[in-house]
Amino acid sequence: MNPAATHRRVLACAATVIAAGMLLTACGGDKDKGASGTDAKAAGAKTSKVTITITDKGCAPSPAKAPAGTVKFSVANKNSAKVTEAELQDGGKMLGEKENLTPGLSGDFTLNLDKGTYSVYCPGASADRAAFTVTGAVVKTWKDDPQLVAATEQYGTWIDGEVKQLVTTTAAFTAAVKAGKLDDAKTLYGKARIHYERIEPTAEIWGDLDGRIDGRADDAATPADFTGFHRLEQAIWQKKSLAGTAKLADQLNADVKSLDDQVPTVEYQPAVIANGATDLVNEIQSSKITGEEERYSHIDLLDFDGNLAGANEAVDVLMPTLKKKDPALAAEVTQRYQATAAALKKYAATPGYEDSGYVDYQKVTDAQRRTLSQTVDAYAESVSKIAGKIA
């Protein structure tokens, strides 16, 4: 057992993806509020369904109350151009979300929630928060299954190891930046980035920290808010100068170390792990194949590799349970993962562009990108079903 596991915060959830966009799920609640007998008997008996309609005015859930247990949130944006996401938060920490919902799109996420008071948050709306109350207590949990308990411990240990490597490789990268060694910084950038790409759904639990580490120029409210990996990527590849970036390097180091301090407090539950896999595969589609993520360095295929590896680790720890519950889906997931890995491998190179192990993404044609996209789409569709099977 991971020594840190006893201190990890309990997270439990499940999710499926219907429309485009990223999804991060986790669970929580006011643990100081005990379950009432009546509510406890009713809790967990079935999945509660909650509708959230995004408008310019807000995102009030309907109904605004549900019994503890599995809750499915269906989110739809009918006509708002300025509000495109809805999150469920617990004390300011995001538990689950649907984002990138432009007018006409919809999606859902499912959480396993304990008793407590939560809030639905939709940034940009006139009333951007609405209360959501959960009563009672969950009757049966994943902790009744030793195989799933072992899966969560294995995954937590793997995440912790990846974050340790992120700390080490980021320190090497930022040292090169501060020394003004532009060529060294180019090759060390990707060696740090891949560890972040593998654990991104976990890092996104702390939204502000993720924004400082991995935010892009168009995510920043002001130029001063644009920090982290991509701010340094811009300096290296677009501006071709490291002048004035020492403070940015120091901040990136401090933020990555802060992430390392906080990650061991997370306790992963099976559906969280499955949802993380879905997030990572969707991330390949939404920001790697599009070339958006690494718009200055063009090492997008290395990020693709990182997302795929992170998703595969998540699927692997759950695979023994999935094989028992749905062997056909287990076989489908395996086949589509292999197809995606093979599609990516076509662009492998030694040592590759900027020592990334892959070719310069600018040299991948539109037709080739469409082929990659189709393969990833199929894999994402299969992976998105896992959480529903094991929740």
Side-chain angles (χ1 to χ4, degrees):
M1 181 177 179
N2 178 1
T6 55
H7 302 292
R8 289 177 182 274
R9 181 171 184 272
V10 175
L11 305 174
C13 43
T16 56
V17 174
I18 293 176
M22 283 290 294
L23 176 66
L24 171 66
T25 58
C27 302
D30 294 344
K31 306 301 184 296
D32 58 329
K33 297 177 181 177
S36 69
T38 301
D39 286 341
K41 289 178 182 177
K46 62 180 181 180
T47 299
S48 300
K49 297 180 179 179
V50 175
T51 298
I52 299 173
T53 301
I54 295 173
T55 69
D56 289 352
K57 295 182 178 179
C59 50
S62 178
K65 180 185 291 186
T70 306
V71 183
K72 179 179 180 180
F73 296 87
S74 297
V75 186
N77 181 356
K78 292 186 176 179
N79 55 18
S80 178
K82 68 176 185 179
V83 186
T84 59
E85 68 177 276
E87 304 175 1
L88 188 76
Q89 294 189 348
D90 176 14
K93 183 178 289 185
M94 189 266 287
L95 305 179
E97 68 170 347
K98 278 307 301 178
E99 63 178 359
N100 299 326
L101 295 178
T102 53
L105 292 183
S106 62
D108 65 74
F109 60 94
T110 304
L111 302 172
N112 192 339
L113 297 171
D114 288 332
K115 177 182 179 181
T117 300
Y118 303 80
S119 63
V120 177
Y121 175 54
C122 47
S126 302
D128 60 6
R129 290 187 185 277
F132 182 71
T133 303
V134 176
T135 59
V138 178
V139 175
K140 187 176 180 180
T141 77
W142 58 275
K143 291 185 177 180
D144 297 316
D145 185 338
Q147 190 173 59
L148 288 176
V149 171
T152 60
E153 292 170 359
Q154 180 181 339
Y155 187 71
T157 299
W158 184 81
I159 289 288
D160 290 350
E162 283 295 319
V163 176
K164 296 294 183 191
Q165 293 183 70
L166 174 66
V167 170
T168 301
T169 52
T170 299
F173 166 61
T174 54
V177 169
K178 293 180 69 175
K181 297 179 178 179
L182 196 63
D183 289 342
D184 288 351
K186 283 184 176 180
T187 57
L188 291 169
Y189 173 78
K191 298 187 188 310
R193 286 289 301 159
I194 192 167
H195 296 293
Y196 196 82
E197 293 299 319
R198 288 173 181 166
I199 58 94
E200 199 162 5
T202 296
E204 289 177 345
I205 292 173
W206 301 278
D208 290 346
L209 193 57
D210 174 58
R212 292 199 301 272
I213 294 173
D214 195 40
R216 295 185 279 271
D218 39 323
D219 298 326
T222 70
D225 294 323
F226 181 32
T227 62
F229 278 115
H230 294 304
R231 174 64 182 83
L232 292 172
E233 178 201 6
Q234 182 192 51
I236 294 167
W237 277 276
Q238 186 183 65
K239 299 184 177 179
K240 304 184 189 305
S241 171
L242 293 171
T245 59
K247 288 185 178 179
L248 289 166
D250 286 340
Q251 181 182 335
L252 177 58
N253 256 326
D255 287 336
V256 167
K257 288 177 181 176
S258 177
L259 180 65
D260 183 39
D261 290 340
Q262 297 185 69
V263 162
T265 67
V266 179
E267 180 178 294
Y268 301 91
Q269 293 199 11
V272 173
I273 297 171
N275 293 329
T278 302
D279 290 346
L280 286 168
V281 181
N282 286 336
E283 179 81 5
I284 295 172
Q285 189 69 279
S286 64
S287 64
K288 275 63 178 189
I289 290 179
T290 59
E292 175 192 340
E293 180 85 34
E294 303 289 356
R295 64 187 69 171
Y296 312 113
S297 65
H298 306 297
I299 63 161
D300 301 272
L301 291 169
L302 181 65
D303 285 11
F304 185 145
D305 184 316
N307 287 163
L308 187 61
N312 188 48
E313 177 65 21
V315 170
D316 267 358
V317 301
L318 299 173
M319 188 56 77
T321 301
L322 185 61
K323 284 181 177 178
K324 288 194 298 187
K325 294 195 172 185
D326 192 334
L329 177 59
E332 179 183 282
V333 168
T334 299
Q335 186 274 325
R336 290 183 175 181
Y337 164 73
Q338 292 170 343
T340 305
L344 174 62
K345 191 176 181 180
K346 291 179 181 178
Y347 302 98
T350 304
Y353 168 69
E354 304 293 17
D355 207 24
S356 67
Y358 291 96
V359 302
D360 180 347
Y361 193 56
Q362 295 177 102
K363 296 183 178 180
V364 180
T365 68
D366 288 345
Q368 291 171 321
R369 294 184 187 198
R370 283 195 293 273
T371 299
L372 282 170
S373 177
Q374 290 165 357
T375 306
V376 171
D377 258 353
Y379 184 44
E381 192 268 341
S382 296
V383 173
S384 71
K385 300 175 184 174
I386 297 175
K389 298 294 181 181
I390 63 172

